Amino acid sequence: MSEFGSNSSVTDSYDEYVMPIWKSLDVPVERAHGCTLEDFDGNEYLDAFSGISVTNVGHGNDAVVEAATNQLERFVHGCSYVHPNEPVASLAETIADVSPGDLQKSFFCNSGTEAVEGAIKLARKYTGSTEVVALEMGFHGRTLGSLALTGNNAYKREMAPALNDVFHAGAPYGYRCPRCEGERCTPSCADDIEHVIGTHTSGDVAAVVVEPVMGEAGIIVPPDGWLERVQEIAHDHGALLVCDEVQTGYGRTGELFASAHFDVEPDILTQAKGIANGLPLGAFTASEAVADAFDAGDHLSTFGGNPVACASALATIDQLRGGIVENVREQGRWLESELDSLEGAHDAVGQTRGLGLMWGIELVDPEKTGPRGVAPAPDADLAASVRDHLRDESGVVIGVGGYYKNVLRLQPPLSMTRDQLQRVVEALERALEAV
């Protein structure tokens, strides 16, 4: 086995031995702590992406590390579905306490993709129906079942999804919505789901699956009333509302779950990413009535509910409730004002939008008209150039996403301080001016 002493030695091994993956951030990480990454050559970077909303309470959080270490010393694998153990029991009880509505029983797995697939199985079992409605531009995972729900063919090419009973409705993407005037959709845009059910399905709908804030689509925040209307439509058709909070959960938007920003109570809630601050863990949670539709053996996961990951999740939730979520609200309000100013100062910034510490900065070419004649044209090349400039010139790591790959994604560890956020905003300003 090689010993890696430089950035190039790591990247060379990736090129030779790891299947092709997305590594556009391109920072070989040797160690990380708090909001800082360090590469093998000793360079430090301020992390404004947190591994796609994963290390929510900061890299190497002492309480999380201690919880994981203590559990490692007891036992690593008990298989929570064969041998009951305390970390799984405690985490399930805690999630029931902190999740919205009457959600009570959880199934633990290893990732967000698995959580989404399990949620669909449960919805089908409970309702006796098979069809599912999701959103255009939504993202729910890359395995064949969850890929069918994902509304972007860039992820599907040459890999046909496994579910045939999935139908897609329009997303509340107000900045590029041809039906709405201004930069925000209206709640009536949710009626496209009603239209899709009436024209594309047989009416045998088990679930409507949505992200309360659409992450991969470019941090799309729906208007007030939109998600409420979605739930109403789902229930009118005997379907369940599945809120995919894999990316928005665990404090990201200034609430423990983004659903709390809206007057809805999901029937099933999917979770992963930030739940255990970097250890692989996913879950889907439902009310007792819905959850009990599963019979023993209907669903299983060998590594799901790993006790080390569950112990880490418990420590993560304690950290979030101990002041970090309040920090998200405080810093998010400040960041919103700063990004509004950035938008006003640069024609190339078409729109900034977000909640808490989950923000998208949509970059455009103001000289060209966008798709369907709505808004300026997306500028993916500019977004990639700004990302690279931030990394190489300012030591700031930020994501790029959106359906058109033109949205800078600001999703730092939730423990990020005002001074660190100020550094990010100033670096953004310099990058926009330079690029």
Side-chain angles (χ1 to χ4, degrees):
M1 185 177 69
S2 300
E3 291 188 9
F4 301 110
S6 66
N7 292 339
S8 59
S9 62
V10 176
T11 57
D12 288 349
S13 288
Y14 260 65
D15 291 339
E16 188 167 357
Y17 299 110
V18 179
M19 289 188 188
I21 57 172
W22 177 57
K23 54 176 183 174
S24 60
L25 300 182
D26 216 18
V27 176
V29 178
E30 183 182 26
R31 58 175 56 89
H33 190 77
C35 299
T36 302
L37 307 174
E38 184 177 333
D39 67 17
F40 286 80
D41 296 336
N43 302 304
E44 288 192 351
Y45 301 84
L46 185 59
D47 184 7
F49 199 39
S50 58
I52 318 180
S53 291
V54 170
T55 51
N56 281 13
V57 298
H59 297 284
N61 180 282
D62 291 341
V64 176
V65 171
E66 181 179 3
T69 301
N70 289 342
Q71 183 57 45
L72 279 166
E73 292 174 347
R74 292 185 178 93
F75 61 94
V76 174
H77 176 70
C79 188
S80 62
Y81 302 107
V82 175
H83 301 295
N85 61 79
E86 183 178 355
V88 170
S90 295
L91 180 57
E93 185 175 348
T94 298
I95 290 175
D97 179 53
V98 301
S99 57
D102 62 353
L103 300 178
Q104 180 176 335
K105 293 188 176 183
S106 294
F107 183 99
F108 295 109
C109 49
N110 305 285
S111 68
T113 292
E114 292 177 48
V116 169
E117 296 224 8
I120 297 306
K121 286 179 66 176
L122 178 59
R124 285 178 159 185
K125 184 78 184 293
Y126 176 78
T127 62
S129 300
T130 60
E131 296 171 322
V132 181
V133 177
L135 296 184
E136 296 170 353
M137 299 186 291
F139 182 85
H140 302 285
R142 297 175 190 262
T143 56
L144 292 179
S146 60
L147 191 60
L149 302 177
T150 294
N152 187 338
N153 75 354
Y155 299 112
K156 300 182 182 186
R157 293 178 190 132
E158 302 178 300
M159 295 173 286
L163 298 178
N164 296 318
D165 294 336
V166 175
F167 307 90
H168 290 88
Y173 189 9
Y175 185 64
R176 298 192 182 279
C177 181
R179 297 184 295 269
C180 297
E181 295 181 4
E183 293 193 346
R184 285 182 66 83
C185 278
T186 64
S188 63
C189 277
D191 289 337
D192 193 49
I193 294 174
E194 182 81 67
H195 174 74
V196 167
I197 292 173
T199 58
H200 293 277
T201 77
S202 68
D204 185 37
V205 182
V208 177
V209 184
V210 298
E211 304 159 83
V213 177
M214 300 177 70
E216 295 293 325
I219 320 298
I220 295 173
V221 183
D224 292 340
W226 182 88
L227 191 57
E228 291 86 339
R229 177 62 181 140
V230 171
Q231 184 169 52
E232 180 182 27
I233 293 168
H235 288 176
D236 284 349
H237 290 273
L240 302 183
L241 175 66
V242 178
C243 281
D244 182 346
E245 295 243 27
V246 168
Q247 191 166 152
T248 56
Y250 293 93
R252 174 56 54 188
T253 65
E255 297 286 349
L256 205 59
F257 296 102
S259 307
H261 291 285
F262 310 97
D263 188 19
V264 298
E265 294 181 359
D267 299 302
I268 305 177
L269 185 76
T270 65
Q271 309 137 64
K273 288 191 180 292
I275 187 174
N277 206 50
L279 277 78
L281 182 66
F284 56 98
T285 305
S287 66
E288 184 175 17
V290 173
D292 285 350
F294 266 171
D295 294 317
D298 277 349
H299 201 53
L300 204 63
S301 171
T302 298
F303 295 106
N306 174 272
V308 179
C310 288
S312 300
L314 285 164
T316 297
I317 294 171
D318 283 345
Q319 292 284 292
L320 290 167
R321 298 170 83 182
I324 289 181
V325 172
E326 181 54 42
N327 182 66
V328 175
R329 297 186 186 121
E330 179 183 347
Q331 307 309 336
R333 288 190 292 267
W334 177 85
L335 185 59
E336 179 177 12
S337 175
E338 293 294 307
L339 294 181
D340 280 348
S341 297
L342 196 73
E343 179 181 336
H346 295 274
D347 290 342
V349 178
Q351 187 183 54
T352 59
R353 51 185 180 256
L355 289 171
L357 288 178
M358 183 178 186
W359 282 85
I361 303 159
E362 178 149 0
L363 300 186
V364 299
D365 182 345
E367 303 299 322
K368 299 179 182 177
T369 302
R372 296 188 288 184
V374 178
D379 197 333
D381 291 340
L382 177 60
S385 296
V386 170
R387 175 201 63 208
D388 293 347
H389 187 281
L390 284 166
R391 181 193 64 224
D392 298 339
E393 302 300 327
S394 298
V396 172
V397 174
I398 197 170
V400 168
Y403 180 76
Y404 300 103
K405 306 302 181 189
N406 68 316
V407 179
L408 300 174
R409 294 170 59 183
L410 181 54
Q411 296 167 266
L414 306 183
S415 54
M416 184 165 276
T417 65
R418 177 68 55 81
D419 287 345
Q420 289 171 322
L421 279 172
Q422 181 75 55
R423 177 181 161 190
V424 173
V425 171
E426 291 173 354
L428 272 169
E429 182 76 41
R430 290 194 301 271
L432 287 166
E433 290 173 354
V435 174

